[in-house]
Each structure stands twice: as C-alpha cells, then as structure tokens.
Amino acid sequence: MPGYMEQDVELMRQAIEQAKLCKSVDSAYNVGAIIADANGSVLSKGYSRQLPGNTHAEQCALDALDKTQSLAHTTLYTTMEPCSKRLSGNTPCVQRIIDAGIMRVVVGVREPPNFVQCTGVELLEQQGVHVVFVTELDAECRQLNQHLAVI
C-alpha cells in the first residue's frame, strides 16, 4: 500500500463511522475525525456539527483532547481534507492542526468545491506536515456526502 499502513486503513474506517453520526444538511459536509497516538491508540474522536456553533470534525476531535498532551507523535485521520477557509469566520481546521503540533494527517478525500476552494493539503505540507491519502476508502468517504450534488 503506497504511503499508508493497514493501521491507517483501520483508523480511517473509525473516522468514517464518526462521520455517519452527522445529521446531513444542505450547507455542510459530513466528516469524521480520529486522533491517534503513534501506536494507533485512539486519543479522541469527532464529527461535523457534534458540538454547537457549526463545528467541524477535526475541531471537535482536537477540543476533546487533554490540552497538556504533546501531539507531536500523533496522527489525525479525517474523512475529508481539512478546511483552509471557513465561511463562518471560525478558525480553519488546517490552522488548528498546525497550532496543535500534529505532524501527520491521513485524509480520505479532497474537499470538493461546493462551498470554498480548499487548499488544506497544500497548506499543511508547506508547514512540514506529512499528508497521506487512504485511496482504498475513497468511495466510502465520498458516500458520506451523497446528499450534496457534486459528490
């Protein structure tokens, strides 16, 4: 498997299960996120709109962590490319990931251009974050957002 391990596939499957908890709306994607340590132990989970205030999956997973914990050797798994711009004015998930010190992000699919032109992967890579796509779960990640026209 190029660029990813079997552990990445299993943890992405868990992120997909998180995304299935989302209530579908016409104005947002259904996304799930998992943060795991270097051994693959899940530290936190999140999904879109889990918390009030138009929250994103990565934001919810980050907010669920112990704030004193170093995240240098953790991986964030997300079913869709982390946002680089938010129409709500909230801090984009890419910035949250960089600020948290996470240095590896595993992505299911790129963000389609329904709402904004996303450059999350490029911004993460510019900051030295290693980004990997789990291509074998592409269809499962896209299926999460079948309620939106371009998916």
Side-chain angles (χ1 to χ4, degrees):
M1 285 185 258
Y4 57 91
M5 305 169 287
E6 189 56 39
Q7 174 178 291
D8 294 330
V9 174
E10 176 52 37
L11 289 162
M12 184 59 73
R13 287 188 196 285
Q14 290 184 43
I16 290 168
E17 290 306 309
Q18 285 296 299
K20 290 178 181 177
L21 298 173
C22 298
K23 181 179 179 191
S24 295
V25 297
D26 291 338
S27 60
Y29 298 112
N30 294 337
V31 179
I34 299 284
I35 298 175
D37 67 16
N39 298 318
S41 296
V42 174
L43 302 175
S44 68
K45 304 173 184 182
Y47 60 91
S48 301
R49 299 171 302 286
Q50 179 179 0
L51 301 172
N54 189 31
T55 54
H56 287 195
E58 301 91 339
Q59 175 184 357
C60 292
L62 285 164
D63 286 352
L65 288 168
D66 174 356
K67 302 304 179 231
T68 64
Q69 181 175 12
S70 169
L71 301 179
H73 300 289
T74 60
T75 298
L76 184 141
Y77 296 83
T78 180
T79 58
M80 185 178 286
E81 176 180 19
C83 69
S84 57
K85 180 179 182 180
R86 292 182 69 174
L87 297 176
S88 65
N90 291 332
T91 303
C93 292
V94 164
Q95 191 59 54
R96 291 174 189 274
I97 293 164
I98 293 166
D99 292 347
I102 294 175
M103 296 306 295
R104 185 170 186 265
V105 175
V106 178
V107 177
V109 294
R110 288 265 190 180
E111 180 177 334
N114 290 42
F115 308 113
V116 298
Q117 191 64 39
C118 185
T119 57
V121 169
E122 291 78 12
L123 291 171
L124 289 169
E125 289 176 337
Q126 287 171 10
Q127 294 299 311
V129 177
H130 182 62
V131 178
V132 176
F133 283 86
V134 178
T135 54
E136 72 182 78
L137 297 177
D138 183 88
E140 290 91 331
C141 290
R142 290 189 189 288
Q143 179 70 22
L144 296 167
N145 291 290
Q146 66 181 351
H147 65 286
L148 297 171
V150 298
I151 301 297

